[in-house]
Amino acid sequence: MDDLELLDWRERVARLYLSDLDLAGFRAARDELFAEHPQSPVPAADRTAFTGLGWFPPNPEAVVEAPLRPASGTESIDTGGPDGVVTYRRVAVAQTPWGPLTLWWIEAYGGGLFVPLRDGTCGRESYGGGRYLTDTVKGTYGRGLTVLPGGRVRLDANYLYNPSCAYDDRWACPLAPPENRVDVPIRAGELAYHRA
C-alpha cells in the first residue's frame, strides 16, 4: 500500500503545483499536505507538533526571466541511496541575475526536467544541501520554472523548496552540482526545516 500512497502523494503535489492558488494559498496547501499525508517527508513522529514549513517572505525581486543558451554533456550524481548513481543531461543554461544555472534532464525512464540550486542562504537560513526550483519527476512544475517563447525561462524563487532529505535522513536526494551553486543569497522560498 505504500506505493499507492506514494502515487497519491505525487498526484496531490502535481495538482497543487498546477492549481490556480496564489502564493499564500499554495504555501498553506503545502503545509496541510506535509502535516497530514502518510508519504510526507516530515517524520511521522514530528507531524503532531508540525505547524507548517518556514518560508522567506514573498519576494517580487526573486521572479526573473532569463535567456537560455545551449548546453551539452552529462553528469552522474550519486544519491547515496537506493537510486544509486543517476545520470543527468545538460539541456540549457539560464543566464540569471544570480549566476548561470544549468537545466538538467534526468536520463531515466520517462525523464524529466530538474533544476537544483544552492545559493548564499544555504547552510544558514535554508537547507545546506540546496533547494529545488523544479523536479518534473516529482510533479513540481509550473511554478518555480516556466518555459517561455524565444529561448527564455521564467524563474520564481519564491517556490524554491527543500528536497525530502532536508526533513528526514531516511531520504536520499541528488543535490546541486557545483555548476548550480551561486554565492548570491536568494532570500525567497522555503527556509531550513527545524524539527519540532
Side-chain angles (χ1 to χ4, degrees):
M1 295 306 243
D2 285 349
D3 292 335
L4 296 179
E5 287 176 350
L6 181 57
L7 177 64
D8 180 66
W9 168 266
R10 288 190 178 165
E11 179 182 344
R12 290 182 63 187
V13 167
R15 287 180 188 273
L16 175 60
Y17 273 78
L18 293 172
S19 74
D20 60 358
L21 292 170
D22 64 6
L23 181 61
F26 172 87
R27 289 177 174 184
R30 188 166 158 90
D31 284 346
E32 182 180 331
L33 186 62
F34 272 57
E36 297 175 1
H37 200 281
Q39 285 290 322
S40 170
V42 173
D46 292 356
R47 287 188 212 143
T48 54
F50 181 76
T51 59
L53 301 169
W55 298 92
F56 283 101
N59 182 353
E61 294 178 12
V63 183
V64 300
E65 288 189 14
L68 297 173
R69 65 175 165 80
S72 62
T74 60
E75 183 81 21
S76 295
I77 301 172
D78 189 346
T79 65
D83 293 333
V85 175
V86 179
T87 302
Y88 299 85
R89 177 174 42 87
R90 289 173 184 88
V91 173
V93 176
Q95 299 299 124
T96 78
W98 315 306
L101 292 177
T102 300
L103 281 60
W104 300 91
W105 190 261
I106 301 167
E107 294 282 67
Y109 177 78
L113 190 64
F114 178 55
V115 183
L117 166 66
R118 189 177 193 288
D119 69 281
T121 68
C122 294
R124 290 182 285 283
E125 298 167 274
S126 64
Y127 178 60
R131 299 173 289 168
Y132 297 169
L133 264 174
T134 194
D135 183 352
T136 59
V137 169
K138 301 288 176 78
T140 60
Y141 46 86
R143 289 191 182 252
L145 182 145
T146 307
V147 177
L148 302 173
R152 300 177 65 77
V153 289
R154 178 180 180 269
L155 304 174
D156 188 340
N158 290 293
Y159 291 96
L160 277 168
Y161 66 95
N162 292 331
S164 298
C165 55
Y167 309 101
D168 191 337
D169 292 338
R170 71 184 169 120
W171 303 100
C173 305
L175 302 177
E179 64 197 82
N180 276 37
R181 296 177 187 171
V182 297
D183 293 331
V184 175
I186 304 172
R187 290 195 169 82
E190 194 173 341
L191 294 165
Y193 173 70
H194 299 287
R195 290 195 144 150

